[in-house]
Amino acid sequence: MVGFLDADGGWSRGLRITTAWERSVVAPGAETHLLVRVEAAASPPQGRRSPIDVAFVLDRSGSMRGEPLALAKQAVMQACRRLRPEDRVALALYSDETELALPLVPATPTAMAAIRAALVEAQAGGGTDLAAGWLAGCAQLTAPAGAEADRRVRRAVLLSDGHANVGLCDPGELIRRADSLRRRGVSTTTLGLGLGFDELLLSAMAEAGGGNFQFAAEPDQLRVFFDEEIRELARTVAARTTLRLDCPSGFYVDPLSALPTKRRGSVWTIDVGDVPAGARVDVVFQATAPDAHPGDRFPPLLTARWTTPGADRRTEAVTIEPLTIASRTVAARVIPNALVKERAALQRAASDRRRALELLRAGKASEARQAAHAACDRLFGLAPTEALAADLQLSLDLAQAAAQRTVDERLRKE
């Protein structure tokens, strides 16, 4: 367990990081799973709040004409009301051309009036140069440098209701840029409106960018989503959180979680990103034990690093969870940890569903059906929970849709 240490030497509110093995005793060469759970306190440490830099990037292409754009404007203004004068805000509007309606400025009443005026004047029309609009907003957030930038939570909030069809449209390149920006301290949240946007692109950009992906089926949901995004940023307990897992010689792991990862030799670095109050992030690794002798113990080294709210220092903690090698007879008697088993199955099933959608898009319905059935198989037989039931139903719906060689757009987004 780790957390913030107060002046009196006791634990104050912060992070709690726990680890658990699916099986902590295994046979040589056997596979198991390691769960790393990152939990934030219910509220930020008293009196601490990271200043926020946020760039709103709004789609104003022709398909946003009417109610969608009107409600998006209202949603941005409502979200801005959560900002404080020490925060900063920028606004970019895009169609087939991009307008930087407001450069990054402190969120003062004057800035709020400027945003309101820019939104009133914004009209829908043209194509969707998503990349140009998004990068224009991100450019405002990358301008700060040094310790001042490290003390701030910086995020671009991108809204789109369609496919990128102007300018840079290559999904791989957009995802790589989201990853690069995240490494520079700028995260990206994506919000897809309606049923016409590219869910694989927006979700992948958010994952690579360390932000959130939201699906708003109707325009009237935008207000809630924008407001919740700023509320979450304001309640950040740990910014730019990373986990580093250093494995002993002969010990192999592979992360299952859909989070940005980097490997260097036997060391894996997982970018958890900004962790808001009350959040829980589960990171699951598939581990293969060394071909060692019974009784040998292997303690991977786990290091967590993050920035505390409003501070310019990094805090780190180390947790060691040893894995013990035993004979196959002894290892077979070990009862697996049900929580770790469930979390691993859920994350593997999510990966299967993503692959099924990609295969369907490529016209490979038979293979897509197999991937969706694989997701179902991973979830069958586990103790029923609410999370498991929801994922199993999604997997079953996707398998049925693949059998019919078509997937309802709402199902894709969900």
Side-chain angles (χ1 to χ4, degrees):
M1 176 188 296
V2 300
F4 295 120
L5 195 63
D6 64 22
D8 297 325
W11 293 106
S12 64
R13 291 173 294 180
L15 290 185
R16 181 176 68 174
I17 300 178
T18 55
T19 64
W21 292 101
E22 182 181 358
R23 289 182 174 87
S24 59
V25 178
V26 297
E31 291 185 354
T32 185
H33 292 99
L34 172 66
L35 170 65
V36 180
R37 172 165 285 184
V38 180
E39 296 176 281
S43 59
Q46 188 172 7
R48 292 182 175 182
R49 177 188 183 274
S50 295
I52 299 168
D53 286 354
V54 58
F56 294 105
V57 183
L58 293 188
D59 185 345
R60 60 177 180 87
S61 60
S63 57
M64 288 287 291
R65 185 174 287 109
E67 183 185 39
L69 184 58
L71 291 176
K73 294 176 180 181
Q74 295 175 20
V76 169
M77 286 310 306
Q78 176 169 314
C80 283
R81 296 189 184 101
R82 287 195 176 273
L83 299 176
R84 298 180 181 180
E86 64 267 26
D87 300 326
R88 295 186 292 205
V89 61
L91 174 65
L93 304 167
Y94 72 94
S95 55
D96 46 13
E97 295 182 351
T98 294
E99 174 192 359
L100 182 61
L102 184 74
L104 191 70
V105 295
T108 61
T110 300
M112 296 302 101
I115 288 180
R116 186 178 296 106
L119 290 173
V120 167
E121 294 179 3
Q123 301 294 319
T128 305
D129 193 345
L130 180 149
W134 168 59
L135 292 173
C138 290
Q140 295 299 304
L141 303 176
T142 57
E148 169 62 18
D150 288 339
R151 285 193 290 266
R152 309 184 75 86
V153 176
R154 294 178 285 164
R155 181 167 297 180
V157 182
L158 168 67
L159 167 68
S160 176
D161 77 332
H163 287 243
N165 55 26
V166 179
L168 175 60
C169 301
D170 177 51
E173 181 59 26
L174 289 168
I175 292 165
R176 283 190 290 273
R177 295 200 183 194
D179 177 79
S180 176
L181 285 161
R182 173 187 52 79
R183 295 180 189 277
R184 296 169 64 186
V186 176
S187 58
T188 296
T189 278
T190 58
L191 174 58
L193 172 62
L195 301 177
F197 68 90
D198 186 342
E199 67 282 346
L200 291 178
L201 173 62
L202 291 193
S203 62
M205 286 178 64
E207 288 170 359
N212 301 311
F213 165 64
Q214 298 278 7
F215 162 43
E218 303 296 337
D220 58 8
Q221 295 177 299
L222 291 175
R223 186 176 301 178
V224 173
F225 291 149
F226 273 98
D227 187 65
E228 181 60 30
E229 185 71 16
I230 300 304
R231 179 177 179 274
E232 176 181 300
L233 290 175
R235 290 168 53 81
T236 298
V237 166
R240 292 176 288 285
T241 307
T242 62
L243 300 173
R244 170 181 162 137
L245 188 67
D246 195 340
C247 303
S249 178
F251 187 101
Y252 301 99
V253 301
D254 189 24
L256 303 182
S257 307
L259 291 170
T261 62
K262 181 175 65 175
R263 179 185 178 185
R264 180 172 293 178
S266 61
V267 177
W268 283 93
T269 302
I270 313 296
D271 197 322
V272 177
D274 302 331
V275 185
R280 186 186 73 200
V281 181
D282 286 339
V283 181
V284 180
F285 298 88
Q286 177 183 301
T288 303
D291 189 9
H293 300 290
D296 287 349
R297 291 161 62 86
F298 295 85
L301 185 65
L302 179 67
T303 305
R305 292 186 173 90
W306 67 89
T307 301
T308 56
D312 56 1
R313 63 185 176 87
R314 308 288 288 187
T315 303
E316 66 179 66
V318 178
T319 303
I320 300 175
E321 289 284 334
L323 186 68
T324 302
I325 306 301
S327 68
R328 297 191 182 281
T329 302
V330 171
R333 299 194 195 109
V334 176
I335 299 174
N337 182 305
L339 174 63
V340 180
K341 188 175 181 179
E342 180 202 73
R343 295 290 110 180
L346 287 170
Q347 294 193 7
R348 285 183 175 279
S351 178
D352 290 333
R353 288 194 300 273
R354 169 68 65 84
R355 175 151 177 75
L357 286 173
E358 292 171 345
L359 288 166
L360 273 172
R361 177 171 287 185
K364 301 178 180 179
S366 178
E367 294 176 50
R369 185 170 65 254
Q370 292 177 12
H373 279 300
C376 297
D377 292 342
R378 296 189 192 282
L379 303 175
F380 279 129
L382 297 177
T385 64
E386 184 175 344
L388 194 68
D391 270 37
L392 181 56
Q393 188 60 56
L394 275 178
S395 302
L396 289 169
D397 291 344
L398 185 56
Q400 182 179 6
Q404 298 171 352
R405 296 179 176 269
T406 181
V407 178
D408 176 77
E409 284 300 328
R410 182 180 291 272
L411 177 60
R412 284 183 184 272
K413 275 57 179 176
E414 292 172 348

